[in-house]
Amino acid sequence: MSRVRQILDMNAFDAATGGDGAVKRRLDNLGAASVLFYREPIEMVAARGAWMEARDGTRYLDFYNNVPSVGHSHPEVVAAISAQVARLNTNTRYLVEIVDDYLEALKAKLPVDLSNVVMTCSGSEANDLAIRVARAVSGRHGLIVTDTAYHGNTALVTEASPSALRRSPLPDHVVTVPAPGEAAYGGEDIAGGLRAAVVAAMQTLEARGHGIAAFLADSIFSSDGIFADPAGFLQPAVKTVQAAGGLYIADEVQPGFGRTGDAFWGYERHGLAPDIVTMGKPMGNGFPMAGMAARPEHLAMFCEDVGYFNTFGGNPVAAAAGRAVLRVIAAEGLQENARRVGAHLKAGLAQIAAGSDRVTAVRGAGLFLGVDLGAQDGSGAPDADYTVQVIDRMRDARVLIGAAGQFGATLKVRPPLCLSMAEAERFLEAFAGAVSD
Ligand SMILES: Cc1ncc(COP(=O)(O)O)c(C=O)c1O
């Protein structure tokens, strides 16, 4: 029987086993909040493009990290950050030209009606604020998220992140729906199944006296195990929520900034008009920055009641980083690269799956793919232990990759957007070797 896994526990070092050297030092410093990848953690010293370098000189192809999305230590981003931090870094209570230059460049990528952007330092803060705005606008309290969603680490957002909760049950005001996979919705009508589940969740929230404030969804369903197709399946559910006065918060922390190849934002693949968009991770290519875009009238309703200020959010160095990221995505055609190289990867993975009992499904869009791994008996049951084995074998083959999904048996294929065809080939070769038994 497959066991539900918590997202931070997947392929993590088990602190109970102790450690020495750099591992012990880290455990002594971070204690129980320490999360290290791999049963034998890797000490990293440098990175460039799609490659990371460990202290022992080993170079790894990075298929896990979607933060340095335009490539690790991209020279243009490094130069922009360095120049700005040498000139001026302060908060948004002063007028600084680069901040508004950046916000206008970002807004050019967003729906015109979402013309106010609040800058934060993390995706968690952005989602926290989004939920508070949704509650102020709707006058209601309830939230709908997917079964294995992760939306961040503040108290409010952790409550709406089933995948982060080890023991505590979800609070009364959060109701989950299954992630939009074929298994959950019978294969045929994912859009209709998801809509029906959302309607039932809204009824539950109503019966509990909360009503629907927001449907908060990551349109690539990253921690749920990656569900991208058929594009458009989110529409009926989202429209139903909006028709009932709830808000659709598009959590673009994972799929945003061109990763899905088809569109700059994940929700665009589904033809949706979000009420709020939250973003983070790849936004500054590693410089900590995130944001929430909303309608001016919605933000005003929230601010009537509560003042919002974020000391570091949207500072000039963040703006410089963010502006450089947008420029690099455009100048290097990275969204198109994600589409082209992602399609090649997906086809290669499908070919490997066709010859393997263990690789049970390949899904995703652009450079965000999910690969399900199943039990040896050919039953197709998710096999988390085997997934960890494959992750370790990939590491031996110098490729870094992680897991996701309810049972921790989905490989998350998520390299930087600058990935070349040759690097994709290298990955496919390593993967074919890792699942060859
Ligand atoms: C979909 C999604 N939303 C929000 C967050 C939270 O972002 P952060 O870690 O920057 O607070 C994450 C982080 O993994 C995420 O995957």
Side-chain angles (χ1 to χ4, degrees):
M1 180 60 192
S2 305
R3 183 166 63 81
V4 171
R5 312 264 164 153
Q6 202 247 0
I7 190 83
L8 293 176
D9 292 341
M10 287 174 199
N11 186 38
F13 171 73
D14 181 1
T17 61
D20 46 30
V23 173
K24 180 175 180 321
R25 194 173 168 209
R26 175 60 66 84
L27 294 177
D28 287 347
N29 287 328
L30 261 68
S34 160
V35 181
L36 285 165
F37 285 144
Y38 295 103
R39 286 174 295 185
E40 287 173 39
I42 309 175
E43 186 176 354
M44 293 296 183
V45 291
R48 191 70 175 227
W51 293 85
M52 299 187 78
E53 189 183 325
R55 177 163 298 284
D56 66 4
T58 310
R59 293 181 75 237
Y60 294 96
L61 188 55
D62 184 4
F63 261 65
Y64 184 82
N65 201 338
N66 67 337
V67 173
S69 192
V70 302
H72 284 276
S73 299
H74 191 290
E76 194 170 331
V77 182
V78 172
I81 291 173
S82 309
Q84 187 60 48
V85 79
R87 189 178 312 124
L88 171 70
N89 196 19
T90 183
N91 61 55
T92 47
R93 294 198 201 199
Y94 295 101
L95 293 168
V96 182
E97 194 177 20
I98 193 168
V99 173
D100 293 288
D101 285 349
Y102 173 58
L103 290 174
E104 282 160 14
L106 181 64
K107 281 176 20 174
K109 295 284 185 190
L110 286 160
V112 279
D113 56 334
L114 305 188
S115 60
N116 282 172
V117 180
V118 180
M119 298 294 290
T120 62
C121 304
S122 71
S124 303
E125 284 180 324
N127 279 330
D128 190 287
L129 179 61
I131 292 171
R132 294 163 73 196
V133 170
R135 284 179 171 168
V137 171
S138 66
R140 308 193 203 115
H141 203 65
L143 301 171
I144 300 175
V145 295
T146 45
D147 274 345
T148 315
Y150 180 79
H151 293 292
N153 61 17
T154 69
L156 183 57
V157 179
T158 299
E159 287 180 343
S161 296
S163 181
L165 299 172
R166 289 203 171 106
R167 289 201 188 136
S168 313
L170 286 172
D172 207 45
H173 64 265
V174 178
V175 176
T176 66
V177 293
E182 291 180 10
Y185 295 113
E188 292 291 290
D189 181 14
I190 293 178
L194 182 64
R195 179 185 174 279
V198 162
V199 168
M202 280 168 40
Q203 284 164 353
T204 304
L205 287 170
E206 202 59 44
R208 290 181 185 170
H210 300 298
I212 175 76
F215 176 36
L216 169 59
D218 156 12
S219 62
I220 197 74
F221 299 90
S222 168
S223 56
D224 284 290
I226 300 130
F227 298 99
D229 290 316
F233 67 64
L234 268 164
Q235 267 196 32
V238 164
K239 286 189 174 152
T240 303
V241 168
Q242 289 173 323
L247 275 67
Y248 161 48
I249 303 172
D251 180 339
E252 288 291 330
V253 167
Q254 295 274 358
F257 294 88
R259 178 156 290 276
T260 65
D262 296 336
F264 193 81
W265 304 108
Y267 66 79
E268 287 178 290
R269 287 188 72 245
H270 289 278
L272 295 168
D275 298 291
I276 296 180
V277 174
T278 57
M279 62 199 88
K281 290 193 194 280
M283 197 172 183
N285 210 47
F287 191 87
M289 60 187 295
M292 182 207 72
R295 294 195 186 97
E297 61 275 22
H298 284 179
L299 189 59
M301 283 172 89
F302 169 71
C303 290
E304 263 168 34
D305 191 37
V306 188
Y308 187 87
F309 173 65
N310 194 313
T311 299
F312 300 117
N315 67 64
V317 180
R323 204 174 57 162
V325 166
L326 290 180
R327 276 199 198 127
V328 173
I329 291 174
E332 297 184 8
L334 293 183
Q335 183 182 316
E336 170 56 17
N337 194 60
R339 199 191 56 72
R340 197 173 59 89
V341 182
H344 179 76
L345 265 181
K346 196 174 174 185
L349 285 165
Q351 210 172 359
I352 295 168
S356 162
D357 290 341
R358 291 290 213 154
V359 184
T360 54
V362 176
R363 298 181 290 274
L367 284 173
F368 210 140
L369 305 176
V371 181
D372 287 346
L373 298 177
Q376 196 164 26
D377 61 11
S379 64
D383 191 335
D385 294 336
Y386 180 63
T387 305
V388 173
Q389 252 181 51
V390 170
I391 287 172
D392 285 341
R393 288 176 188 166
M394 296 292 281
R395 175 210 175 136
D396 293 342
R398 312 285 186 253
V399 178
L400 305 172
I401 193 162
Q406 193 167 24
F407 305 109
T410 304
L411 286 181
K412 246 187 315 193
V413 179
R414 201 181 50 181
L417 304 188
C418 58
L419 195 81
S420 68
M421 282 290 191
E423 288 161 344
E425 278 302 319
R426 190 162 174 153
F427 169 83
L428 289 171
E429 206 178 299
F431 182 66
V435 296
S436 62
D437 63 344

